[in-house]
Amino acid sequence: MKDILTLGIESSCDETSVAVVKNGREVLSNIINSQIKIHEKFGGVVPEIASRNHIEAISDVTKKALEEAGITFNDIDNIACTCGPGLVGALLVGVSYAKGLSYALNKPLTGTNHIEGHIAGNYISHKELKPPFLCLIISGGHTHLVHICDYDKFEILGRTKDDAIGEAFDKVARVIGLGYPGGPKVDKLAKEGEPNITLPKTHMSGLDFSFSGIKTAIINLHHKSPDINKADLCASFEKDVTDILLENTIKAAEELDIKTIALAGGVSANSYIRKQFLNLEKEGYKIYYPEPILCTDNAAMIASAGYYRFISGVTSDLTLNAVPNLKIGE
Ligand code: KG4
Ligand code: ZN
């Protein structure tokens, strides 16, 4: 069978990324231009500034991705771009650029879901991984427990009812003065602490999640006792949110009788969460997570998800639009 080269384009938040991926699994290039330094001083992503920087970066990032892959525009078989969910202005830059390329080069276009991209990060890191499996997507914007029935068939089992888990990590870090983005900083500091602070754990019915209670409890604790040990606070927060993630994931795995579990999204780079999930292997589960660069936002994962859409016959026309609240499987 002829190789299929997918050009992936990601611009849903503060990373402008373009990648070339062969047959959905082999990364030929994955250029990521992060705007973290630009947004750091604001303590979070400023949507308008993100869009403007995507516009400035996208052509150069694309050029670099083609160069590193050793190909030209003519060699591409399909263009996959993130069309949602995400910041509308940021998404529009990638979608418009991809539409322009598709029209000018006369190449197929595949609008791709960002969350499905996070799941596909696992296909790149683990060549043997195939559906069906359970996937826990934990990122700055999303917390979803999903049954991956097939490459293009998803059943959402649970989701957060309030904050995404990454949002909670970032807020806790900001309040205790660790800076932005907070997840990696909480991860590092927690290693020096003990989980000895009792925090409220919110148990939702079914397989849903809630993280706003624990986040607020930490904020209040820190305001009431500014001298509280920050490392212990981070360790306690990490332990409690991980317990909740594990509880729901195991419940779903038992209900569906599935032994393969994948983690995805920026928060799946967390070392404590990885370690606790890996412990499940002692109980007969097989645990997957992408290498760190494929956990946070990148275009290789979008190219992979776009490839599976493309080979299943799904393409988009030039009416493709950015959909900020696009649901998984849509
Ligand atoms: O997947 P991602 O790049 O963007 C979204 O699609 O939302 O995830 C970014 C999130 C941020 O909240 C960041 O703090 C978190 O992932 N993150 C981490 C770690 N690395 C990134 N959270 C906890 N521990 C980490 N090591
Ligand atoms: Zn993401």
Side-chain angles (χ1 to χ4, degrees):
M1 211 171 81
K2 183 192 169 297
D3 288 331
I4 294 180
L5 292 183
T6 304
L7 183 79
I9 299 177
E10 157 63 31
S11 70
S12 66
C13 190
D14 61 342
E15 262 93 26
T16 319
S17 180
V18 180
V20 179
V21 172
K22 188 160 127 187
N23 299 330
R25 301 247 179 179
E26 190 187 331
V27 179
L28 303 188
S29 65
N30 187 20
I31 309 295
I32 304 166
N33 182 69
S34 173
Q35 302 178 13
I36 283 182
K37 284 271 160 281
I38 298 167
H39 297 279
E40 211 169 25
K41 56 179 172 289
F42 302 105
V45 178
V46 183
E48 185 55 36
I49 296 177
S51 317
R52 237 179 293 148
N53 280 282
H54 284 310
I55 294 172
E56 281 175 21
I58 200 155
S59 297
D60 275 353
V61 173
T62 306
K63 216 168 124 201
K64 279 193 196 129
L66 293 172
E67 268 168 25
E68 200 173 299
I71 64 161
T72 68
F73 277 127
N74 283 334
D75 300 314
I76 295 163
D77 297 293
N78 177 40
I79 300 163
C81 66
T82 306
C83 58
L87 302 169
V88 68
L91 287 166
L92 271 172
V93 177
V95 169
S96 309
Y97 188 75
K99 279 161 62 171
L101 283 183
S102 164
Y103 181 70
L105 301 168
N106 196 21
K107 304 271 184 189
L109 173 72
T110 309
T112 302
N113 184 302
H114 181 81
I115 308 176
E116 292 172 31
H118 275 300
I119 298 165
N122 279 289
Y123 297 140
I124 297 172
S125 292
H126 309 287
K127 308 294 180 226
E128 75 283 11
L129 179 65
K130 290 190 180 92
F133 58 94
L134 263 186
C135 190
L136 180 66
I137 301 128
I138 40 179
S139 75
H142 319 281
T143 311
H144 281 72
L145 184 56
V146 182
H147 178 200
I148 316 299
C149 312
D150 207 338
Y151 289 104
D152 56 352
K153 200 159 164 266
F154 310 90
E155 185 191 354
I156 300 176
L157 306 169
R159 56 156 69 93
T160 181
K161 288 293 183 194
D162 39 59
D163 295 347
I165 186 167
E167 235 177 302
F169 265 94
D170 292 338
K171 189 70 194 277
V172 165
R174 190 171 344 143
V175 168
I176 65 175
L178 300 182
Y180 170 85
K185 290 173 175 144
V186 171
D187 189 349
K188 194 157 166 239
L189 188 58
K191 291 195 175 99
E192 296 166 23
E194 289 299 325
N196 53 14
I197 300 169
T198 308
L199 298 164
K201 269 193 220 166
T202 312
H203 294 273
M204 303 296 288
S205 62
L207 295 168
D208 286 332
F209 303 93
S210 163
F211 298 108
S212 71
I214 189 167
K215 177 197 74 181
T216 309
I218 294 216
I219 295 168
N220 291 341
L221 254 177
H222 183 255
H223 286 324
K224 266 192 238 145
S225 328
D227 296 331
I228 198 161
N229 184 306
K230 289 181 186 175
D232 289 348
L233 206 54
C234 287
S236 306
F237 168 73
E238 251 185 22
K239 181 179 182 312
D240 284 359
V241 294
T242 307
D243 284 351
I244 296 168
L245 295 176
L246 278 167
E247 207 173 286
N248 281 11
T249 309
I250 295 168
K251 213 193 293 176
E254 284 174 352
E255 275 172 21
L256 294 169
D257 195 21
I258 290 182
K259 289 284 186 192
T260 307
I261 298 170
L263 304 179
V267 182
S268 69
N270 183 274
S271 50
Y272 180 80
I273 295 177
R274 287 179 171 218
K275 196 163 144 224
Q276 298 309 312
F277 271 83
L278 268 183
N279 274 338
L280 291 178
E281 295 207 329
K282 291 182 201 137
E283 292 164 39
Y285 288 98
K286 179 73 192 142
I287 305 297
Y288 291 98
Y289 42 75
E291 56 206 274
I293 195 71
L294 296 172
C295 286
T296 43
D297 291 349
N298 68 91
M301 68 182 200
I302 300 303
S304 176
Y307 164 83
Y308 285 106
R309 280 201 160 213
F310 178 63
I311 60 166
S312 74
V314 179
T315 52
S316 314
D317 61 26
L318 294 177
T319 62
L320 179 70
N321 205 350
V323 183
N325 56 358
L326 187 69
K327 304 284 177 299
I328 197 164
E330 278 182 359

